[in-house]
Each structure stands twice: as structure tokens, then as C-alpha cells.
Amino acid sequence: MVARAHLRYARISPRKVKIVCDLIRGKDVKTAAAILMQTPKAASELLLKLLNSAVANAENNHEMDVDKLYVSEAFANGGPIMKRAMPRAQGRSYRINKRTSHITIAVSEKA
């Protein structure tokens, strides 16, 4: 059984989130939470809340044992891009892409 938690339209680039996702993928939940608390990245705070949500979903909706849970999936996909313009010299404008992410964490029980 797999319990998932999703975060949609997070205002952070998926490239930045994937770095932190790689740190916790495959780890047990307590180790993953400890890693996220000590990682000085902007995405680690979002992923910690998402991990706690996935654990709560596993415990309450699927009646899994919290001590046996591990992070089976952690990935970030790109969401919609907000396109903005920055004024530049001689009347030109440069595009600024404000990227968003769809983040998913799944936890499973160890066999």
C-alpha cells in the first residue's frame, strides 16, 4: 500500500526541489525528516511539511505502521510558468520566468 501527498503550484523551481528530493528518496521517514531539518535549502521546508502530510495520510487513511514507513517516491514536476518582463536598456525588455512546481511524496511500508 502506498500513501501519497501532493503539493501543487509551489512557487519554487522544480530544479531546486529535485536536489532535495534526491536526498530523501529511499530513506526511512525519521531519517528523511532529520535530513530535511538540517538541509539549508528553500525546498527542504516545503518537503518536510509534505512528508509529514504523507505520513499522516498513511496512518489515518491506510492504517499503516508509522515505524515501518519509508519514502518510496519523491519527485517534482514543472507547473505553469508565470512570465514577467524586466525593463532593459534602450527600451528593450527581457523575459523573466517565474517557475512553479508540482511536488509528490509517497511513503510505503517495509516488507
Side-chain angles (χ1 to χ4, degrees), residues 61-87:
N61 299 344
H62 302 292
E63 292 154 9
M64 295 182 187
D65 185 14
V66 177
D67 297 327
K68 295 180 183 177
L69 292 178
Y70 74 101
V71 180
S72 57
E73 294 178 31
F75 58 90
N77 296 322
I81 299 171
M82 297 184 288
K83 297 176 176 108
R84 302 292 183 261
M86 170 77 86

Side-chain angles (χ1 to χ4, degrees), residues 25 34 44 101:
R25 191 179 299 115
S44 61
S101 301

Side-chain angles (χ1 to χ4, degrees), residues 4-110:
R4 297 179 193 276
H6 305 280
L7 174 60
R8 304 281 188 209
Y9 306 103
R11 198 28 215 99
I12 187 169
S13 171
R15 182 176 179 179
K16 295 176 183 178
V17 179
K18 287 176 185 180
I19 293 170
V20 184
C21 284
D22 292 341
L23 294 175
I24 64 168
R25 191 179 299 115
K27 305 274 193 308
D28 65 279
V29 169
K30 290 181 182 176
T31 306
I35 289 170
L36 290 174
M37 281 190 254
Q38 297 300 318
T39 305
K41 295 277 190 185
S44 61
E45 189 176 334
L46 296 172
L47 285 172
L48 182 60
K49 287 179 75 171
L50 198 59
L51 178 64
N52 291 335
S53 178
V55 170
N57 289 342
E59 186 177 9
N60 295 317
N61 299 344
H62 302 292
E63 292 154 9
M64 295 182 187
D65 185 14
V66 177
D67 297 327
K68 295 180 183 177
L69 292 178
Y70 74 101
V71 180
S72 57
E73 294 178 31
F75 58 90
N77 296 322
I81 299 171
M82 297 184 288
K83 297 176 176 108
R84 302 292 183 261
M86 170 77 86
R88 303 303 290 185
Q90 298 181 2
R92 294 181 176 91
S93 69
Y94 283 2
R95 176 181 280 173
I96 305 254
N97 290 328
K98 296 187 177 274
R99 298 182 186 275
T100 60
S101 301
H102 297 321
I103 309 168
T104 302
I105 290 183
V107 293
S108 301
E109 276 186 327
K110 289 182 182 172

